[in-house]
């Protein structure tokens, strides 16, 4: 019975994070990459730290599909796997580092979370930059117009690092509060 309850709880939390992600993407689309990207990263990190690693990975993988469907960001479906991979790397690093810090209490969650966000943001940036700028763009060759190349090069470089850091840093106190609430409800 407990295993079924845990599965239902996981599905519910993950679905809630996906719903929040869609709302944030929809409402912030007109504010540009820095705002939308930061909000997406906020949801990714919060999902990983409160819903668990697999919840975070699920939300990370699904996020670019909804962005594409909502018309946010690049209009090339071929970019979705690169973006999903960058998101997954970010969530994986944040969750594993937080776990390594034994972040079961809020002070360690803060330290582990911040460390994970910084390392994760750097690795997400590297994954997206290498994947999109160094692999995808050259593979597309003449299939991309020069303005698209310039846009993708800009979009998948420094702004990825900035939005991952902003969203992740904001997510830490949010995750701390959510975990405190969930712990209180458990008792």
């Amino acid at each position: 019975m407990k295993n079924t309850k845990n599965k239902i709880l996981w599905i519910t939390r993950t679905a809630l994070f996906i719903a929040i992600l869609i709302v944030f993407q929809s409402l912030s689309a007109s504010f540009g990459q820095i705002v939308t990207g930061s909000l997406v990263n906020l949801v990714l990190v919060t999902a990983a730290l409160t819903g668990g690693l697999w919840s975070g990975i699920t939300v990370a993988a699904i996020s670019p599909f909804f962005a594409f469907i909502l018309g946010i960001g690049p209009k090339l479906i071929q970019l979705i796997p690169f973006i999903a991979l960058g998101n997954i790397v970010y969530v994986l690093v944040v969750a594993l580092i937080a776990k390594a810090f034994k972040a079961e209490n809020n002070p360690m969650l803060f330290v582990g979370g911040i460390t994970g966000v910084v390392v994760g943001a750097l690795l997400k940036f590297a994954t997206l930059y290498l994947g999109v700028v160094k692999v995808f763009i050259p593979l597309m060759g003449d299939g991309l117009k020069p303005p698209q190349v310039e846009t993708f090069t800009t979009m998948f470089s420094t702004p990825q690092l900035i939005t991952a850091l902003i969203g992740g840093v904001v997510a830490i106190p949010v995750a701390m509060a959510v975990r405190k609430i969930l712990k209180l409800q458990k008792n």
Side-chain angles (χ1 to χ4, degrees):
M1 182 68 155
K2 185 173 179 159
N3 196 19
T4 302
K5 183 180 175 185
N6 287 342
K7 286 180 183 177
I8 292 169
L9 187 58
W10 180 87
I11 290 168
T12 304
R13 285 183 182 162
T14 304
L16 179 62
F17 285 116
I18 291 169
I20 292 168
L21 176 83
I22 293 168
V23 168
F24 280 177
Q25 287 176 327
S26 298
L27 295 177
S28 68
S30 64
F31 293 109
Q33 181 181 5
I34 298 296
V35 173
T36 303
S38 297
L39 288 171
V40 166
N41 286 303
L42 163 69
V43 174
L44 297 181
V45 172
T46 306
L49 294 178
T50 61
L53 174 62
W54 288 107
S55 182
I57 287 175
T58 302
V59 177
I62 290 174
S63 170
F65 290 99
F66 284 112
F68 181 79
I69 291 167
L70 294 169
I72 300 167
K75 307 293 186 249
L76 291 175
I77 199 163
Q78 301 95 318
L79 285 171
I80 290 175
F82 294 99
I83 300 167
L85 179 62
N87 287 347
I88 291 168
V89 165
Y90 184 48
V91 164
L92 188 64
V93 169
V94 170
L96 292 177
I97 289 177
K99 186 174 182 170
F101 273 79
K102 301 192 182 337
E104 296 306 316
N105 58 42
N106 277 347
M108 290 313 292
L109 177 60
F110 181 79
V111 173
I114 293 295
T115 304
V117 164
V118 171
V119 174
L122 288 166
L123 291 175
K124 177 181 181 173
F125 158 74
T127 301
L128 287 169
Y129 183 78
L130 293 172
V132 174
V133 177
K134 297 300 182 183
V135 174
F136 176 75
I137 291 174
L139 282 176
M140 291 298 290
D142 294 337
L144 295 175
K145 297 175 179 124
Q148 286 177 301
V149 171
E150 185 179 326
T151 298
F152 294 156
T153 300
T154 301
M155 186 181 284
F156 292 100
S157 60
T158 309
Q160 294 299 327
L161 178 61
I162 293 167
T163 59
L165 288 169
I166 293 170
V169 167
V170 173
I172 302 303
V174 171
M176 289 167 62
V178 169
R179 285 172 66 144
K180 187 173 184 176
I181 291 166
L182 291 174
K183 192 173 185 177
L184 288 175
Q185 287 180 346
K186 222 180 206 182
N187 294 334

